[in-house]
Amino acid sequence: MAGIFGSVSKRGDCAKSLYYGIDYHCHLGTDYAGMAVYGEHGIERKIHDIRGENFRPKFQQDYNRMKGRYGIGVIGYDIQPILLSCRHGLFSLVMNGNIANLAEIIEELQSQGANFVEVQPDSSISPAEVMAEIISRADSIESGIQAVFDRIRGSISLLVLTRSGIYAARDRNGHSALVIGENEDGFAVTTETTAFPNLKYRIVKELLPG
């Protein structure tokens, strides 16, 4: 289980909302956390091991230096966000959920020449990187997300950060929620709405499954 959060700022600096939004998901994961912000010079990504320290002190200095309109983050049990450059451009991805046939997908992709670099401390391959690889092979980000849902057995929701914004996709089975909020500065999308009141977001809609 993981908590994912995305933020879009009209004023051009989403990092503060992103930082506090991720922090409200601390009860969903205590091993690793990460943030990615798309700014003037591309995507800046920070990932920390939080097993020995809380989220806030680990990321407090980071978020003050991360500037950009769009950002995504995660707190959970594996290393995310994933950062990938492909024909669709540079993008970053976070996900929440479980994939029953992950080993089968990895074997298939490796047989086709795929290489994975985001190896976890236990030497396993990051599920988020596998999903990013599937997206990179499709004709577009949108069709890549559909390809992910078509290929997996299980249930995941994900956020994809691109130059033009954030794609939010809720799992087809409806096992985990994604909710969109809006405030004076912009928008947010989140696994849980606990952060919304303090960040002055009002709920706009809950994404339907799929």
Side-chain angles (χ1 to χ4, degrees):
M1 191 69 177
I4 57 179
F5 192 92
S7 178
V8 176
S9 171
K10 297 175 184 176
R11 300 186 181 98
D13 187 6
C14 71
K16 185 176 182 179
S17 292
L18 183 63
Y19 169 76
Y20 286 107
I22 300 167
D23 182 56
Y24 277 97
H25 291 82
C26 282
H27 60 289
L28 294 177
T30 55
D31 286 2
Y32 298 96
M35 300 172 58
V37 171
Y38 212 127
E40 183 179 350
H41 302 294
I43 294 178
E44 182 175 2
R45 178 182 66 158
K46 297 293 181 182
I47 299 171
H48 289 297
D49 183 335
I50 58 170
R51 287 174 290 185
E53 192 173 1
N54 291 334
F55 171 84
R56 284 196 185 188
K58 282 282 191 176
F59 284 87
Q60 191 162 20
Q61 292 185 347
D62 292 331
Y63 95 83
N64 283 320
R65 294 192 296 263
M66 300 172 80
K67 305 294 182 184
R69 286 190 62 199
Y70 314 121
I72 59 173
V74 59
I75 190 163
Y77 295 96
D78 58 343
I79 297 173
Q80 302 184 57
I82 296 302
L83 184 60
L84 188 67
S85 180
C86 68
R87 56 182 172 155
H88 308 315
L90 189 65
F91 73 88
S92 185
L93 180 148
V94 294
M95 58 160 276
N96 169 40
N98 293 293
I99 305 165
N101 60 332
L102 182 64
E104 174 187 316
I105 296 172
I106 290 171
E107 183 178 355
E108 178 186 322
L109 292 174
Q110 287 179 326
S111 72
Q112 297 168 0
N115 297 300
F116 298 103
V117 297
E118 298 283 359
V119 179
Q120 308 296 312
D122 63 357
S123 298
S124 64
I125 293 170
S126 164
E129 186 178 11
V130 178
M131 300 304 100
E133 176 69 18
I134 293 173
I135 291 172
S136 74
R137 293 173 176 230
D139 292 333
S140 65
I141 296 288
E142 296 96 325
S143 60
I145 293 170
Q146 292 289 349
V148 164
F149 286 153
D150 289 341
R151 184 68 184 84
I152 67 166
R153 292 199 309 272
S155 182
I156 65 166
S157 294
L158 51 84
L159 303 177
V160 181
L161 172 66
T162 73
R163 187 180 193 85
S164 58
I166 298 170
Y167 293 87
R170 183 181 176 191
D171 76 272
R172 289 178 175 174
N173 298 318
H175 290 163
S176 61
L178 279 180
V179 183
I180 297 172
E182 182 179 12
N183 65 13
E184 290 183 357
D185 182 43
F187 295 89
V189 57
T190 182
T191 309
E192 295 187 354
T193 58
T194 316
F196 278 3
N198 286 343
L199 296 175
K200 295 182 170 52
Y201 288 106
R202 62 176 181 84
I203 294 175
V204 176
K205 70 179 296 183
E206 180 177 348
L207 293 185
L208 296 176

